[in-house]
Amino acid sequence: VSETVATFSIPYTQYLNEEGKAVQELPELARDPDALLELYRIMVRVRIFDAKAIALQRTGKMGTYASSLGHEAISTVIGHVMRKDDVFVPCYREHAALIQRNTRMEDIFSYWGGDERGNAAEGCIDLPVAVPIASQCLHASGIATAFKLRNEPRVAVTVFGDGATSQGDFYEAINVAGVWDLPAVFVISNNKWAISVPLEKQTATQTLAQKAIAAGITGQQVDGNDVFAMHAAFSKALEDAREGKGAQVIEAMTYRLCDHTTADDASRYRPEGELQTNEKFEPIQRLKTYLETEGLWDDAKEAALKEEAQAEVEKAVETYLNRPQAPATDMVDYLFAELPDALKSQRKLLQEF
Ligand SMILES: Cc1ncc(C[n+]2csc(CCOP(=O)(O)OP(=O)(O)O)c2C)c(N)n1
Ligand SMILES: [Mg+2]
């Protein structure tokens, strides 16, 4: 016998092209101008926040920072669509989702300024930023397992990069999500780079979304710089997961229009011209063009939004810079219920200084 025992396909969805024009009939979101304007405003606010964070780092007022320049649409949609009692399990570029989920801008500054209190915003039920690549995928599966066991209509949502999909943690997390039918959504923010490793050196797979197939869950690709595509795919995945239809992987295609972090210099490895080519596809201008065409946006509104956002960010900076320093002993105080001896002596030393 010789027969095909499995076939699969991975869809790619885009609604709004880089010129801000609809390439197919727009989804539900197009009939909700308030939501569209809100999504636009968040993206603009986050971009202004982002520029300020880099300026703070460059002037010695913050340790390091991972920019979200060019990725804004993915995180903006996630933060907008998730319900309050869902749990978000972020990586380090998800500022847009964080600020919509009870993490204040000054908290994000604090975190990157080395103050862990920034990760513990009041009223925030989400997990702290995960820096160990792909570890958060497992945390999302764990949280989703709890939701399932308790019969709660809640979903765990996690975001991670293209590079993270090479890690065992990612495969283990989606495997268990498939076999246990977990209410989880795994969003890959495919920005084509993992620090200096380009996607083609990262993996031989045709799409990252198809890795989901091996775990027995749905995988799809969307234009992650198109809020319509991201919104349609993510809303559906989230509600499907909530209704017990299982986990999904969404590969959101984007591009990192910045250095990996402020500790990196991408001009040392990024091919000439690649940045300029990809700037044309960034998410904010595209939605702006669409909103203007629809008569929903104009220069006066843009100027007012930018002014308001600048003031909001400046206020957050002030709060961040004036925050009393956390005691150095905080470094060890929240790690164990009972401090091991080795840390006891270190704690004593921290106290002395
Ligand atoms: C387990 C682990 N290995 C290595 C690193 C160092 N590191 C930090 S970011 C990064 C690249 C991640 O790339 P990707 O998953 O594509 O996410 P992106 O930064 O592009 O959003 C690496 C290797 C780490 N933080 N954790
Ligand atoms: Mg990447």
Side-chain angles (χ1 to χ4, degrees):
V1 181
S2 174
E3 59 188 345
T4 304
V5 292
T7 54
F8 64 89
S9 63
I10 298 296
Y12 169 80
T13 309
Q14 181 195 59
Y15 289 99
L16 204 63
N17 70 10
E18 62 276 17
E19 280 147 21
K21 292 206 179 85
V23 293
Q24 58 167 313
E25 195 190 329
L26 292 176
E28 213 37 50
L29 180 63
R31 260 111 34 222
D32 189 350
D34 287 346
L36 273 176
L37 289 169
E38 179 63 8
L39 290 167
Y40 181 72
R41 284 195 199 97
I42 295 160
M43 291 203 289
V44 171
R45 281 168 64 207
V46 163
R47 193 164 282 186
I48 289 172
F49 167 86
D50 206 81
K52 190 69 196 185
I54 292 168
L56 285 173
Q57 193 279 336
R58 293 294 189 239
T59 51
K61 296 189 180 83
M62 207 163 73
T64 185
Y65 179 71
S67 168
S68 63
L69 189 67
H71 301 63
E72 294 93 344
I74 300 169
S75 199
T76 296
V77 167
I78 291 172
H80 189 77
V81 174
M82 279 178 74
R83 286 198 197 160
K84 256 198 186 113
D85 68 347
D86 291 332
V87 169
F88 186 47
V89 188
C91 61
Y92 40 76
R93 287 188 212 284
E94 305 314 307
H95 320 304
L98 296 188
I99 63 164
Q100 295 176 80
R101 292 186 59 77
N102 273 333
T103 300
R104 295 162 306 175
M105 285 181 177
E106 54 263 39
D107 294 323
I108 306 177
F109 287 144
S110 286
Y111 168 73
W112 291 101
D115 186 340
E116 286 289 342
R117 291 175 301 183
N119 260 332
E122 207 176 312
C124 178
I125 58 166
D126 297 332
L127 256 59
V129 167
V131 172
I133 300 302
S135 57
Q136 72 269 36
C137 298
L138 291 164
H139 306 156
S141 288
I143 292 165
T145 306
F147 291 161
K148 172 133 190 175
L149 290 175
R150 294 179 191 157
N151 234 332
E152 293 174 350
R154 300 167 71 187
V155 184
V157 175
T158 186
V159 185
F160 45 94
D162 40 296
T165 68
S166 301
Q167 292 276 102
D169 296 28
F170 163 70
Y171 292 103
E172 292 162 25
I174 58 170
N175 183 68
V176 82
V179 77
W180 289 348
D181 226 359
L182 298 180
V185 180
F186 299 88
V187 178
I188 307 167
S189 178
N190 182 352
N191 65 6
K192 316 296 187 315
W193 289 93
I195 315 184
S196 56
V197 178
L199 190 62
E200 64 271 17
K201 283 195 184 156
Q202 182 69 246
T203 174
T205 193
Q206 211 177 346
T207 69
L208 301 175
Q210 76 201 56
K211 297 186 178 192
I213 306 299
I217 63 178
T218 307
Q220 61 173 312
Q221 229 183 35
V222 300
D223 183 339
N225 288 351
D226 166 10
V227 290
F228 286 101
M230 188 60 206
H231 189 275
F234 183 70
S235 307
K236 175 88 169 66
L238 194 73
E239 288 324 306
D240 282 355
R242 198 184 308 287
E243 286 165 18
K245 294 181 186 156
Q248 288 195 32
V249 170
I250 296 172
E251 179 185 5
M253 310 302 279
T254 185
Y255 185 81
R256 199 189 76 203
L257 291 176
C258 45
D259 295 328
H260 170 69
T261 64
T262 49
D264 176 48
D265 175 7
S267 69
R268 291 172 60 185
Y269 54 79
R270 188 171 49 209
E272 185 97 11
E274 194 180 280
L275 187 69
Q276 289 71 17
T277 304
N278 281 282
E279 274 170 350
K280 291 192 230 113
F281 302 99
E282 68 89 24
I284 297 186
Q285 182 57 46
R286 167 181 335 200
L287 183 57
K288 184 168 180 254
T289 307
Y290 173 81
L291 293 173
E292 285 168 346
T293 313
E294 293 295 305
L296 293 166
W297 200 248
D298 56 35
D299 289 350
K301 285 181 180 154
E302 179 78 7
L305 170 62
K306 284 191 168 152
E307 195 179 321
E308 198 183 307
Q310 288 286 1
E312 178 191 21
V313 170
E314 286 306 329
K315 196 158 166 258
V317 170
E318 213 180 289
T319 311
Y320 159 60
L321 294 177
N322 291 323
R323 208 168 194 180
Q325 262 195 351
T329 43
D330 272 11
M331 271 193 274
V332 292
D333 276 349
Y334 305 100
L335 296 175
F336 297 91
E338 265 175 61
L339 215 54
D341 286 342
L343 282 180
K344 270 185 198 153
S345 56
Q346 288 185 35
R347 190 183 187 285
K348 203 159 156 266
L349 202 68
L350 286 169
Q351 222 165 6
E352 279 167 27
F353 288 99

